[in-house]
Amino acid sequence: MAARVEKLTSDIAWSTPDRIVVKGQDLCGDLLGKQSLGDVAFLIMTDRLPTSENESVMFNALAVTLIEHGMTPSAIATRMTVTGAPEAMQAAIAAGLAGLGSVFVGSMETAAHLLQDAVPDPTAPVDVDGLASEVVTELRSRKAQVPGIGHPVHKPVDPRAVRLFELAEETGFSGPYVALMQRIAAVAGERAGRELPVNATGAIASIASEMGISWTVIRGIGVISRCIGLVGHVREELTNPIAREITARVGRETSEAAIRASEQR
Amino acid sequence: MAARVEKLTSDIAWSTPDRIVVKGQDLCGDLLGKQSLGDVAFLIMTDRLPTSENESVMFNALAVTLIEHGMTPSAIATRMTVTGAPEAMQAAIAAGLAGLGSVFVGSMETAAHLLQDAVPDPTAPVDVDGLASEVVTELRSRKAQVPGIGHPVHKPVDPRAVRLFELAEETGFSGPYVALMQRIAAVAGERAGRELPVNATGAIASIASEMGISWTVIRGIGVISRCIGLVGHVREELTNPIAREITARVGRETSEAAIRASEQR
Amino acid sequence: MAARVEKLTSDIAWSTPDRIVVKGQDLCGDLLGKQSLGDVAFLIMTDRLPTSENESVMFNALAVTLIEHGMTPSAIATRMTVTGAPEAMQAAIAAGLAGLGSVFVGSMETAAHLLQDAVPDPTAPVDVDGLASEVVTELRSRKAQVPGIGHPVHKPVDPRAVRLFELAEETGFSGPYVALMQRIAAVAGERAGRELPVNATGAIASIASEMGISWTVIRGIGVISRCIGLVGHVREELTNPIAREITARVGRETSEAAIRASEQR
Amino acid sequence: MAARVEKLTSDIAWSTPDRIVVKGQDLCGDLLGKQSLGDVAFLIMTDRLPTSENESVMFNALAVTLIEHGMTPSAIATRMTVTGAPEAMQAAIAAGLAGLGSVFVGSMETAAHLLQDAVPDPTAPVDVDGLASEVVTELRSRKAQVPGIGHPVHKPVDPRAVRLFELAEETGFSGPYVALMQRIAAVAGERAGRELPVNATGAIASIASEMGISWTVIRGIGVISRCIGLVGHVREELTNPIAREITARVGRETSEAAIRASEQR
C-alpha cells in the first residue's frame, strides 16, 4: 500500500526547550507583558501584530462587540452543560460555541463572503450603488436572506453597528466594504418596505474585510468573543444557578401538554 | 405537580433596543474603542475592569501565555474536525477545547485549587515552607501528582513560567501564592531527586490566585487562550491541510499491524 | 531530539479495498443484516458478540433505558445549538452529550467504580451487608453523595430500576453487584431517614458490572443512549421549534430583573 | 416589551412518578426487555416501531454500517480529547462527533437531499435514467461533487454498499431511490471516465429514503453509529494509548521543518 509521502508543515509555532516562537515572535521575549490579548489574537488571524494604534483599537473593538448579549441560546447551552458536568467547564464552553453557526454569530461569515466576492480588489474603484442593487436582487431572486442586517430587539438601529462604523471612520477602516454593507442594508430596507439597518455581525463582517481578514476565518472573531462571554456564564451558573429551574419549567410545560394530549386520544 | 417558583436572575448583561449593558458598563459607550479584549475578559472574570496598568499587563500576559504551543492534542483534534466539517469552524474549535481537562491546561485548576485551599486568606501571614512541605507530603501519600510543575520539553525550566514570575514581580502580583507554588516545586524536586520547576500552568494558577480569581473559574483563562490559538489552526488547516496525511499515516500503521496480527492467529 | 520510537497499534478494525474487519468480525459478511445495533454495541464494549439471547436482551435493555427522559438539560442544550447551527446537527448532538458528566448519566460511572472497587472478584463470596454498611459510612464521613440512588421525580421508586432488576433476575445477571447496589440504597435510606431507592443509573451500573463491563467505560452506555434520543430532539426542534421561545422567556425575565436592580442602585 | 405567548410542546416523551412514555410507548412495560436498541432508534427517527422483521433488519444494518472504519479523523479527535480530559469521556465522544459534517458521514444528508428532491413522491412512476442524467449534468455544471459515490480505499466497489443493496433487495426496500442512486453513480462514472460506484453513505442515503426517513435527519443514523464506535476508541485509548505518540510525531516533524525554515531566513 505505497503512499505518496507528504511532509507535515506548519507556520504557526515551534519550540525548543528554552524558547517558544509564535508566528515569528518570541513568546516570552516579544509577547508576554508587551502585547495585549487582542493584539496577539490579531497576530494569529493575520500573521502580524497591529502596526498602528488605530489598527489595534479597531480590531479590539470588533473582538469585544459580541462578548456578551445576555441569555443567548449559546449561553443557555453552556449553562445546561455545566449543570451536568461541573467538573468539565471546557466542555460547557465547547457546547455553547457549537451553536455559532449560520443563524447567529456565524452569520458574519456569510456577510463577509458576500462582500469579499462582490469586491475582490478593494483598491480598485467600486460601484457601490450598482453592486448593492445587484446583490440584493440576486439574493431575493433565490429567496435567500440578506446577511448582516436587521435585529429582533435592536430597532430601529443596532447601536453596536453604529458605534463600530463610527470607530471605523475614526481609525481609517471605513472603505468600500463598509460602504457596500451600508448600501446593501438601505436597498434591502427599501425593497422590504421597512428599516433593515446593518446589525453587529454585518458591521464586523465589513470592517474585518477592510482589515484584510478572509471571510473563511472571520467567524473566528465571533467564536473568540463568545468564548470569553461563556466563561462568565459558567462562572455565574456555578454560584447563581438557573439551568435547573429552566429545565424544570420546560419539562413541566411540555409534559403537561403531552399528558393532556394523550388523555384526549 | 406544584413547584417552588424561582426567579431567574443574572448579573451579566441586559439590553434594551438602544443599549447593551455588560457588568454595569455600557457596551457601546464605555467598552467599544476604549477597552481592549483582554481588559474586557478581565471584567467578565472579576466583575470589574483592571484598575491599574500593572493589573492589565499582568492579566493580559496570563491570557496570552497558552494561546499557542504548536501541535497540541487540542490543535490536532480541531484540525481533524475541520477536515470533516469545514462549514462549521465553531464546531472544530469546540472539539479542540473539549480536551482542556485535568491533564493539559485544565491542570491550572487543580493547582489553583490546591493553592487557594492552602492559603484561604492571602493577607494573613503564611508559613510558606511548612505549607509546601505539608502539601507535597499529603499528595505523595496518596500517590497524586503535584500539579503545575515539570514539563516534558521545557527543561530544566519552563521559560514561560520564568517570564510570568518576572512580570509578577514587576507588576506587584508576586505574593504568597507565587511563593508557595515556587516552594512546592522546590520541595517536590528535592523529594523526587530531580528538577521539577514550576511550569506555565503552575505560574498562571499562582498569579491568577494573587489577582483574586477563584480556582473554580481559573481554567477559563486557558480556555480563552486556546480558543484564540485554535482559530489559527483552523485557518492554517484550510490552506495548508495536514489532517488527512496524519490520518492516512495512522490508519496505515495500525491497519498493517492489525493485519499482520490477524494472519498470525 | 531523539525520541523513543513507538508503534501505533489498534485492535478495533482494519480494512483492505474489499473488506472491513471489526473486532475480528467481517463487517459485511458477519454483521450487516445478521447482528442488531445493540449487539454490535456490545461487541464494541466487550470485544465479543453476546453469546446468549439472555445476554443480548439484558444489554439492549440497559442501552435503551436512558434514550429518553424528555426535556433534560442535554436535550435543551442540543435544541439551543441546532437553532443557531441547523446545518450542523452533529454539533448539536455533540453539545447535548457534553453535559453527561458527574451529575446526570455519567453518574453511572461513579456508581460502577464504587461497586467494582468494593467487589474486585464477583466469583468470590461477598459480605453484602458488611460492604454496604462500610461503603455508606465511608461516603458519609467525607460528605460525598451515594451514587445511583434517589430521584427527584420518580418516587418512591424509579420504575426503570425496578424493571431492569426484574430483567436481571430473568436473564441471570442478578449477582453480587446488584445485591450490593440494592443493599447500599437500603442502608443509605435508613441513615437518611427517607426512601432512597436505586435509580436508573444505579441499576445500569450494577447490571453492567455483572456483565463484565469495566467502570472506566460504563458511561459509554449512557452516551450511546442519549445520542439516539438527541437525534429525536433535533428532529422535533426542526419542525416544532421551542428553543427560541425558551430563550426569549429567559432573556426577558433575567433582563427585567437586571434593569430593576440597576434602577435601584 | 409585550411578547407573543407561545406554548412549549413536545411529542417525544412525558413522565409521571411511576411512568415514562416515549413516543406513545411505555418505556418500562413496552420497550425494556422487549425491543432492541436499533428498533428503539427507529422509533425515535420515525415515530413508530418497525412493523416487520424486514424493516428491523434493514434499519439495523444501516445503523451498524458506519460504526467502525478504524482510524478516521473522528476517532483521532476523540483520542486526542480523552488524552487531555480522561475524566470526561462524553466530551471526547462529542469532539469526535463534531466532525461528521459535509465531507465524511454527514455527506449522506447531501445525497439524501438530492434524492428526495429529485423524487418527491416515490409511489409515482420515476424516469430513473432521465433524472440521473439531469442530476449529474446539473451538479457538474456548478462544479459540485456528486455525493454518495467513490471511495479512496474501497475500489472498485465499496463492499458495504454492495451488501446493503443486497439486503435492500431481500427486505423489499429496493425502490426508486436505490435505483436512482445506482444510476447516478453509473452516469457520473461514465462522464468522469472511471468507476465511481455508490459508497456506504450513498447506499445508506438511498435505502433510508426508501424507509421514509427525511433527509433533514438522515445524518442522525451516521451520528448514532459513530457514537458507538467512538466509545470503543475511548476504551482502547485508555488501555493502549496512541494519541501522545501521534502528537509527538506531528510536533517533531512540523517543528523541525519550521526551525529549518526560520534558519534559512
Side-chain angles (χ1 to χ4, degrees):
Chain A
M1 225 187 299
R4 188 170 46 116
V5 173
E6 281 192 49
K7 292 299 292 177
L8 306 178
T9 61
S10 169
D11 284 331
I12 296 178
W14 53 269
S15 50
T16 57
D18 64 346
R19 273 186 88 189
I20 296 158
V21 176
V22 179
K23 294 277 176 194
Q25 307 282 330
D26 186 280
L27 174 66
C28 297
D30 299 332
L31 300 180
L32 294 186
K34 295 185 180 158
Q35 300 292 339
S36 76
L37 185 69
D39 287 359
V40 180
F42 184 86
L43 170 67
I44 293 293
M45 292 194 75
T46 67
D47 299 339
R48 62 176 178 82
L49 287 163
T51 47
S52 70
E53 179 66 11
N54 275 341
E55 197 167 46
S56 171
V57 165
M58 192 68 244
F59 181 78
N60 274 271
L62 295 183
V64 165
T65 304
L66 294 182
I67 284 183
E68 255 311 322
H69 203 262
M71 292 295 159
T72 57
S74 276
I76 295 174
T78 287
R79 284 169 176 264
M80 291 292 154
T81 306
V82 83
T83 300
E87 69 281 3
M89 78 175 278
Q90 84 281 6
I93 292 167
L97 296 180
L100 303 180
S102 61
V103 181
F104 307 123
V105 178
S107 53
M108 69 177 67
E109 180 179 311
T110 320
H113 192 172
L114 183 152
L115 294 171
Q116 295 181 17
D117 269 6
V119 182
D121 176 6
T123 62
V126 175
D127 169 16
V128 167
D129 285 9
L131 272 178
S133 180
E134 249 175 63
V135 160
V136 175
T137 300
E138 197 275 330
L139 287 168
R140 286 173 68 100
S141 77
R142 53 183 173 92
K143 293 185 197 318
Q145 251 195 309
V146 180
I149 64 173
H151 197 279
V153 170
H154 298 300
K155 294 185 282 201
V157 295
D158 184 332
R160 298 168 297 180
V162 173
R163 177 65 179 136
L164 289 175
F165 284 141
E166 192 181 281
L167 280 167
E169 197 71 54
E170 288 169 28
T171 56
F173 288 101
S174 194
Y177 295 113
V178 166
L180 180 58
M181 188 74 236
Q182 290 174 328
R183 187 69 197 131
I184 285 171
V187 173
E190 279 160 30
R191 306 237 180 127
R194 63 196 160 101
E195 293 280 323
L196 282 170
V198 181
N199 62 28
T201 58
I204 293 170
S206 58
I207 300 170
S209 296
E210 302 288 353
M211 304 186 92
I213 297 174
S214 164
W215 67 266
T216 55
V217 293
I218 227 162
R219 188 189 302 209
I221 300 175
V223 174
I224 292 168
S225 301
R226 278 292 151 90
C227 180
I228 294 173
L230 292 175
V231 171
H233 284 275
V234 167
R235 187 173 163 245
E236 190 177 71
E237 184 67 24
L238 292 173
T239 52
N240 177 30
I242 64 173
R244 278 172 190 267
E245 174 65 16
I246 297 169
T247 305
R249 290 185 191 180
V250 174
R252 215 148 47 219
E253 186 170 334
T254 55
S255 223
E256 283 168 6
I259 291 170
R260 271 196 307 278
S262 81
E263 282 163 353
Q264 285 163 3
R265 268 175 214 137
Chain B
M1 224 187 298
R4 187 171 47 115
V5 174
E6 281 192 51
K7 292 299 292 174
L8 306 178
T9 61
S10 169
D11 284 331
I12 295 179
W14 53 268
S15 50
T16 57
D18 64 347
R19 274 186 87 188
I20 295 157
V21 176
V22 179
K23 294 278 175 192
Q25 307 282 329
D26 186 280
L27 175 65
C28 298
D30 300 332
L31 301 181
L32 294 185
K34 297 186 180 157
Q35 301 292 341
S36 75
L37 185 69
D39 287 0
V40 180
F42 184 87
L43 170 67
I44 292 293
M45 293 196 73
T46 67
D47 298 340
R48 60 175 180 83
L49 288 162
T51 48
S52 70
E53 179 66 12
N54 275 339
E55 198 167 45
S56 171
V57 166
M58 190 70 244
F59 181 78
N60 274 272
L62 295 183
V64 165
T65 305
L66 295 181
I67 283 181
E68 254 312 323
H69 204 263
M71 292 295 160
T72 57
S74 277
I76 295 174
T78 287
R79 284 169 175 265
M80 291 291 154
T81 306
V82 84
T83 300
E87 68 282 4
M89 79 176 276
Q90 82 281 3
I93 292 168
L97 295 181
L100 304 180
S102 61
V103 180
F104 308 122
V105 178
S107 53
M108 70 177 66
E109 181 178 311
T110 320
H113 192 172
L114 183 152
L115 294 171
Q116 295 181 17
D117 269 6
V119 182
D121 177 5
T123 62
V126 176
D127 169 15
V128 167
D129 285 8
L131 272 179
S133 178
E134 251 176 60
V135 159
V136 176
T137 301
E138 197 275 330
L139 287 169
R140 287 174 66 101
S141 78
R142 52 183 174 90
K143 296 188 197 313
Q145 251 195 310
V146 179
I149 64 172
H151 196 280
V153 170
H154 297 301
K155 294 186 278 200
V157 295
D158 184 332
R160 300 168 297 179
V162 173
R163 175 67 179 136
L164 288 175
F165 284 143
E166 190 181 281
L167 280 167
E169 197 73 51
E170 287 169 30
T171 57
F173 288 100
S174 193
Y177 295 113
V178 167
L180 180 58
M181 188 72 236
Q182 291 173 329
R183 186 70 198 128
I184 285 172
V187 173
E190 280 161 31
R191 306 239 181 126
R194 62 196 161 101
E195 292 281 324
L196 284 170
V198 180
N199 61 27
T201 58
I204 293 170
S206 58
I207 299 171
S209 296
E210 302 287 353
M211 303 186 93
I213 297 173
S214 165
W215 67 266
T216 56
V217 293
I218 228 163
R219 187 188 303 208
I221 299 174
V223 174
I224 292 168
S225 302
R226 279 291 152 92
C227 180
I228 294 173
L230 293 175
V231 171
H233 284 275
V234 167
R235 189 174 161 244
E236 189 177 69
E237 183 67 24
L238 291 173
T239 52
N240 177 31
I242 62 172
R244 278 173 190 265
E245 173 65 15
I246 296 170
T247 305
R249 290 185 191 179
V250 174
R252 215 150 44 220
E253 183 169 336
T254 55
S255 223
E256 283 167 8
I259 290 171
R260 271 195 306 278
S262 81
E263 283 164 353
Q264 286 162 2
R265 271 179 211 130
Chain C
M1 226 187 296
R4 188 169 47 115
V5 173
E6 281 192 51
K7 292 297 293 174
L8 306 179
T9 62
S10 169
D11 284 329
I12 295 179
W14 55 268
S15 50
T16 57
D18 63 347
R19 272 186 90 190
I20 295 157
V21 175
V22 179
K23 294 278 175 192
Q25 308 282 330
D26 186 279
L27 175 65
C28 297
D30 299 332
L31 301 180
L32 294 186
K34 296 187 181 157
Q35 301 293 339
S36 75
L37 185 68
D39 288 358
V40 180
F42 184 86
L43 171 66
I44 292 293
M45 292 195 74
T46 68
D47 298 340
R48 61 175 179 83
L49 287 162
T51 48
S52 69
E53 180 66 12
N54 275 340
E55 198 167 46
S56 172
V57 166
M58 192 68 245
F59 181 78
N60 274 272
L62 295 184
V64 166
T65 305
L66 295 182
I67 283 182
E68 254 310 324
H69 205 263
M71 292 295 160
T72 56
S74 277
I76 296 174
T78 287
R79 284 169 175 266
M80 292 292 155
T81 306
V82 83
T83 301
E87 69 281 3
M89 78 174 277
Q90 83 281 4
I93 292 168
L97 296 181
L100 303 181
S102 61
V103 180
F104 308 122
V105 180
S107 52
M108 70 178 66
E109 180 178 312
T110 321
H113 192 172
L114 183 152
L115 294 171
Q116 294 181 16
D117 269 6
V119 182
D121 176 5
T123 63
V126 175
D127 170 15
V128 168
D129 286 10
L131 273 178
S133 178
E134 250 176 60
V135 160
V136 177
T137 301
E138 197 275 331
L139 289 168
R140 287 173 67 101
S141 78
R142 52 183 174 91
K143 293 187 200 313
Q145 251 195 311
V146 180
I149 65 172
H151 196 280
V153 170
H154 298 300
K155 293 185 279 200
V157 295
D158 184 332
R160 300 168 294 181
V162 173
R163 177 66 180 136
L164 289 174
F165 285 143
E166 192 181 280
L167 280 167
E169 196 72 52
E170 288 170 29
T171 57
F173 288 100
S174 194
Y177 295 112
V178 166
L180 180 58
M181 188 72 236
Q182 291 175 328
R183 187 70 199 132
I184 285 171
V187 173
E190 279 161 31
R191 306 237 180 126
R194 62 196 161 100
E195 292 281 322
L196 283 171
V198 180
N199 61 29
T201 58
I204 293 170
S206 57
I207 299 171
S209 296
E210 303 287 354
M211 304 186 90
I213 298 173
S214 164
W215 67 265
T216 55
V217 293
I218 227 162
R219 189 189 301 208
I221 300 175
V223 174
I224 292 168
S225 302
R226 278 292 151 89
C227 179
I228 294 173
L230 293 174
V231 171
H233 284 275
V234 167
R235 189 174 161 243
E236 190 177 70
E237 184 68 24
L238 292 173
T239 51
N240 177 30
I242 63 172
R244 278 172 191 265
E245 173 65 16
I246 296 170
T247 305
R249 290 185 191 180
V250 174
R252 214 147 49 219
E253 185 169 335
T254 55
S255 223
E256 283 168 6
I259 291 171
R260 272 196 308 277
S262 83
E263 281 163 354
Q264 284 163 3
R265 266 175 216 136
Chain D
M1 224 187 298
R4 188 170 47 116
V5 172
E6 281 193 50
K7 291 298 292 176
L8 306 179
T9 61
S10 168
D11 284 330
I12 295 180
W14 53 269
S15 52
T16 57
D18 64 347
R19 273 186 89 190
I20 295 157
V21 176
V22 179
K23 295 280 176 188
Q25 307 283 330
D26 186 280
L27 174 65
C28 298
D30 300 332
L31 300 181
L32 295 185
K34 295 184 181 159
Q35 301 292 341
S36 75
L37 185 68
D39 288 0
V40 180
F42 184 86
L43 171 67
I44 293 293
M45 292 196 74
T46 68
D47 298 341
R48 60 175 180 82
L49 287 163
T51 48
S52 70
E53 180 65 12
N54 275 340
E55 198 167 44
S56 171
V57 165
M58 192 69 245
F59 181 78
N60 274 271
L62 296 183
V64 165
T65 305
L66 295 181
I67 283 182
E68 254 312 324
H69 205 264
M71 291 296 160
T72 56
S74 277
I76 296 174
T78 287
R79 284 171 176 264
M80 291 293 155
T81 307
V82 83
T83 300
E87 69 281 3
M89 79 175 275
Q90 82 280 3
I93 292 167
L97 296 181
L100 303 180
S102 61
V103 180
F104 308 124
V105 179
S107 53
M108 67 178 68
E109 180 178 312
T110 320
H113 192 171
L114 183 152
L115 295 171
Q116 296 181 16
D117 269 6
V119 182
D121 176 5
T123 64
V126 175
D127 169 14
V128 168
D129 286 9
L131 272 178
S133 179
E134 252 177 59
V135 160
V136 175
T137 302
E138 198 275 329
L139 288 169
R140 287 173 68 100
S141 77
R142 53 182 174 90
K143 294 187 199 313
Q145 251 195 310
V146 180
I149 64 172
H151 196 280
V153 170
H154 298 299
K155 294 185 278 202
V157 294
D158 184 332
R160 299 168 296 179
V162 173
R163 176 68 180 136
L164 288 174
F165 285 142
E166 189 181 280
L167 280 168
E169 197 72 52
E170 288 168 27
T171 57
F173 287 102
S174 193
Y177 295 114
V178 166
L180 180 58
M181 189 72 236
Q182 290 173 329
R183 187 71 198 129
I184 285 171
V187 174
E190 280 159 31
R191 307 238 179 126
R194 62 195 160 102
E195 293 280 324
L196 282 171
V198 180
N199 61 27
T201 58
I204 294 171
S206 58
I207 300 171
S209 297
E210 302 287 353
M211 304 186 91
I213 298 173
S214 165
W215 67 265
T216 56
V217 293
I218 227 162
R219 188 189 301 210
I221 300 175
V223 175
I224 292 168
S225 302
R226 279 292 151 89
C227 180
I228 294 174
L230 293 175
V231 171
H233 284 276
V234 166
R235 189 174 159 244
E236 190 177 71
E237 183 68 25
L238 292 172
T239 51
N240 177 31
I242 63 173
R244 279 173 190 265
E245 174 65 16
I246 297 169
T247 305
R249 291 185 192 179
V250 174
R252 214 148 48 219
E253 185 169 336
T254 54
S255 223
E256 283 167 8
I259 290 170
R260 272 196 307 277
S262 82
E263 281 164 354
Q264 286 162 3
R265 267 178 214 134

